[in-house]
Amino acid sequence: MKLVTFSVDGREALGRVDGDGTTVRDLRGVVGDLSLLEAITAWERVGPQLAAAGDLPVVEDARLLAPIPELRRDIFAVGKNYREHVAEFGRSGYDTPQRSEDLPDKPIVFSKATTSVTGPFDDVESHPGVTAELDYESELAVIIGTGGRGISREQALEHVWGYTIINDVTARDVQRDHKQWLLGKSLDTHAPMGPWAVTADEVGDLAALEVSSTVNGEPRQKAPVADLIFDVPELIRVISAGITLLPGDVIATGTPAGVGIGFDPPRFLQRGDVVECAITGLGAIRNTIA
Ligand code: MG
């Protein structure tokens, strides 16, 4: 199932995307004002209701919001999790204080503030005066279903509700200058998400999915999820070792090579640029730098 949060009369509503991804059906007749976060939290009851929902009204010109517009807490994000990207990041000089092209031996986990989340087709603010070095990072994002602590690798995927796409937009100068990545990763509108939240049963072989991005139509990133250094079960195992994962938590799994700082000289985003991030079967998000 592909679910969306859309805006109608200034309010948020839950929708289901059918067919080729262009038809959004209004689920309010089935679940009322339930949000996707609430639906995920009560999925055992709500999931079958949504799956069984028959002919629902089609929403014309639905304005899609991020699937979970107000996250329960900050996004867990993973740095340097694709081999080639580790090399380009190390070479760039932006990897401080320990500049290194070595592969990490443990996942590097940081966070993005909830307030950085924005819709799949909304503008990304350029924040002049705060940053002059805007970059893009196309990523597979995991949405947790059943929470838990001390989750094993073997059981990890049972805790996954589904997947979506995130552009882990990054202010490289802020990331570099402040050493800790929170500020550089968390500027408002710097986490476009969507376009849909896709249930895990619909995704199939995770490793076969391909993560890609373009800037103004020019291909920049392209890699299979199989290239992750630390795969999804490992990330869930490591994060949940001492932190209780909660339903609706989002884990951005890292980005492949081909980001702006991977070029020499770097190719930062400029106002008016259009960034598209896509993943096989999960659709594509497209955002203009405003
Ligand atoms: Mg990232």
Side-chain angles (χ1 to χ4, degrees), residues 78 110 137 139 168 185:
V78 182
F110 61 95
E137 296 191 350
E139 306 196 9
D168 176 17
K185 293 285 192 176

Side-chain angles (χ1 to χ4, degrees), residues 77-81 85 110 112 136-139 166-170 172 175 181 185 252-256 259:
V78 182
K80 299 168 66 166
N81 203 17
H85 175 64
F110 61 95
K112 286 177 83 76
Y136 51 89
E137 296 191 350
S138 181
E139 306 196 9
I166 185 167
N167 183 348
D168 176 17
V169 179
T170 305
R172 293 294 181 201
Q175 180 189 29
W181 295 359
K185 293 285 192 176
T253 57
T255 205
V259 299

